[in-house]
Amino acid sequence: YRPHPLAGSAVRSAATRERRQAMKRLAVAGLGMMQVMTYAVSLYAGAWQGMDEEIREFLRLVSLVVATPVVLYSGRPFFVGAWRDIRAGRPGMDVPVALALTLAYGASLYNGFRGEGEVYFDSVAMITTFILLGRYLEKIGGRQARKDIRHLLQLQPDKAWRRDSDGWQEVQASALAGGDTILVKPG
């Protein structure tokens, strides 16, 4: 967590920067995922229908090249969050995501250079993209909820009419207590 001063323009600019960064990561992950999936489909079809070994190795290598920025750039928030959570001694959701990405990418890297076994670059790119998309949508929902709460708080009146022994008195709304008789005017 990076603290920010609670000033309107500073909060808005920090939120804008964070949103742009999230969009960049999501764009890299989404484009990488789509590209790696086209190679994966070719590899899956080639496994059933036959494929030259050179073409197979080329597609695996290109999948590695495309999936690497997805993991290292787009997946960076998961690794940073996992490291922060482990250091704090309270593993959160970033730990299993980072572990899954590391294991799948590492196994694919190993199998890719060995020339045997399966590669899972498509899965790595999909996991990264879908979790980033989920987090982005969650942030949008949270931002909208905070905006709605601010609007509701603005609707709260500053003054109220309270009845006491002298009749109706206008008082600060914060001065009202349980059991007070108040007047609610139309509107």
Side-chain angles (χ1 to χ4, degrees), residues 161-179:
W161 288 93
R162 177 175 61 192
R163 187 159 86 184
D164 58 16
S165 59
D166 297 332
W168 292 102
Q169 302 292 323
E170 188 175 23
V171 297
Q172 292 291 327
S174 59
L176 295 175

Side-chain angles (χ1 to χ4, degrees), residues 108-128:
S108 299
L109 200 60
Y110 176 75
N111 288 341
F113 284 120
R114 198 173 60 141
E116 298 177 6
E118 298 298 323
V119 293
Y120 305 103
F121 297 118
D122 55 330
S123 299
V124 170
M126 283 179 46
I127 289 169
T128 304

Side-chain angles (χ1 to χ4, degrees), residues 39 41-47 49-57 59:
Y39 304 140
V41 168
S42 299
L43 285 169
Y44 296 145
Q49 298 175 354
M51 177 184 283
D52 289 341
E53 189 64 28
E54 294 168 352
I55 300 292
R56 180 177 168 266
E57 290 308 311
L59 289 175

Side-chain angles (χ1 to χ4, degrees), residues 14-30 73-75 77-78 128-129 131-140 143:
T16 301
R17 253 190 331 275
E18 190 176 308
R19 187 172 50 254
R20 284 185 184 150
Q21 187 69 19
M23 279 301 296
K24 286 181 199 174
R25 289 184 193 284
L26 187 56
V28 168
Y73 175 70
S74 297
F78 306 129
T128 304
T129 304
I131 294 177
L132 281 175
L133 179 62
R135 284 189 176 183
Y136 185 75
L137 294 175
E138 180 183 20
K139 281 190 185 273
I140 289 173
R143 188 172 57 245

Side-chain angles (χ1 to χ4, degrees), residues 33-162:
M33 178 193 70
M34 289 187 291
Q35 196 61 46
V36 171
M37 288 305 295
T38 60
Y39 304 140
V41 168
S42 299
L43 285 169
Y44 296 145
W48 288 352
Q49 298 175 354
M51 177 184 283
D52 289 341
E53 189 64 28
E54 294 168 352
I55 300 292
R56 180 177 168 266
E57 290 308 311
F58 175 75
L59 289 175
R60 290 163 67 118
L61 178 65
V62 173
S63 295
L64 163 67
V65 169
V66 173
T68 298
V70 173
V71 171
L72 298 180
Y73 175 70
S74 297
R76 186 174 187 274
F78 306 129
F79 298 113
V80 169
W83 180 247
R84 180 193 59 233
D85 290 349
I86 289 171
R87 278 194 341 228
R90 50 170 182 78
M93 278 305 299
D94 286 332
V95 173
V97 171
L99 187 61
L101 292 177
T102 301
L103 291 174
Y105 184 78
S108 299
L109 200 60
Y110 176 75
N111 288 341
F113 284 120
R114 198 173 60 141
E116 298 177 6
E118 298 298 323
V119 293
Y120 305 103
F121 297 118
D122 55 330
S123 299
V124 170
M126 283 179 46
I127 289 169
T128 304
T129 304
F130 290 143
I131 294 177
L132 281 175
L133 179 62
R135 284 189 176 183
Y136 185 75
L137 294 175
E138 180 183 20
K139 281 190 185 273
I140 289 173
R143 188 172 57 245
Q144 184 62 41
R146 285 187 297 277
K147 182 178 172 185
D148 291 345
I149 289 170
R150 277 194 306 273
H151 286 283
L152 284 173
L153 289 174
Q154 290 172 352
L155 293 175
Q156 184 177 355
D158 295 333
K159 305 263 185 192
W161 288 93
R162 177 175 61 192

